Amino acid sequence: KLAALHPEFQIIGIDCGDNLRFCRENYPFGTWLEADLERCDTLSFTDDLLEKSVVICSDVIEHLVNPASLLHTLRTVMERAQVALLSTPERDLTRGDADSGPPANPCHAREWNLGEFVRLLRSAGLRPGFAGLTLSHNRDPAPKTILVALANAHWPEETVDRLNVACQLGLARLTWAGPGSPGAQPQAMGDAAERNDLAAHLQQAERDLLRDDLNGASGSLRKALALAPDDPRLIIAHGSILLRLGEME
């Protein structure tokens, strides 16, 4: 899926075995490096490259019998990288909280619920700037996959908070997008025009946030909340912005 971002972004992939051969054969524009993430403790990237990188570890960690090496590698990488995105199935939502394992998927070594996964990352010295749920695939509108955005190890808390707000806005925008948009899902609220209006307000709030225009982001979110007053992501995002503006205690 990330291949669609080429050539706007340089793609560097890390894997081993058949997966690596497949990528080299089908996506020759990428740089494909071999590493066993269960055994290597670090990766050889320059600081300059990492400082311009977004690290994506999508549905990988649940395949590792022991994720300690991967977590150590991520901690090293996050000394320089800006953001890392991790995803993994949410065990309780996928199989029910009475399921004590092992995972039903024979390719998975272990799975976590959201709270367990966040505690695992923090125990490894990582900084989850955002931790929530996203869609597993386009066949089921229910979010059953954990999505975590790890923040750079040296960011001030204000920047980490902005990452959290940006993730809340981005997920909400994808959820409420109109028909034909990536990530669009059927919604009970209004017609397609209303959903598109809401998505546009959220996109504007994201732009405002990137410019650090908190008043503009707050105004855009007020318009979005008028259309979806019960969306918890919008409430959390707006509350965080109001706290930074000093309008809430």
Side-chain angles (χ1 to χ4, degrees), residues 11-128:
I11 306 295
I12 301 174
I14 301 166
D15 212 325
C16 58
D18 292 340
N19 290 339
L20 196 65
R21 285 190 288 273
F22 177 87
C23 289
R24 285 172 172 166
E25 291 172 3
N26 291 275
Y27 308 108
F29 51 80
T31 300
W32 305 104
L33 307 176
E34 186 160 14
D36 184 345
L37 295 175
E38 204 162 27
R39 291 179 173 83
C40 71
D41 285 332
T42 188
L43 299 170
S44 299
F45 294 118
T46 65
D47 289 349
D48 180 64
L49 176 64
L50 288 174
E51 287 167 0
K52 296 182 290 187
S53 297
V54 173
V55 179
I56 297 177
C57 189
S58 176
D59 289 13
V60 171
I61 194 169
E62 67 271 13
H63 295 271
L64 306 182
V65 174
N66 185 352
S69 290
L70 173 60
L71 295 170
H72 184 273
T73 298
L74 287 170
R75 182 174 178 179
T76 302
V77 165
M78 294 314 296
E79 290 288 322
R80 296 291 181 179
Q82 301 299 299
V83 173
L85 299 176
L86 279 66
S87 66
T88 189
E90 212 286 359
R91 185 193 64 233
D92 291 351
L93 294 176
T94 302
R95 302 200 315 271
D97 57 12
D99 191 320
S100 58
N105 186 331
C107 296
H108 291 185
R110 65 180 66 196
E111 296 169 345
W112 298 263
N113 63 30
L114 180 57
E116 292 168 347
F117 194 61
V118 170
R119 288 193 293 274
L120 173 71
L121 297 176
R122 287 178 174 156
S123 70
L126 295 162
R127 299 178 73 193

Side-chain angles (χ1 to χ4, degrees), residues 210-225:
L210 285 172
R211 295 195 301 266
D212 211 25
D213 178 3
L214 298 183
N215 285 302
S218 177
S220 298
L221 271 172
R222 289 181 192 277
K223 294 175 183 177
L225 281 164

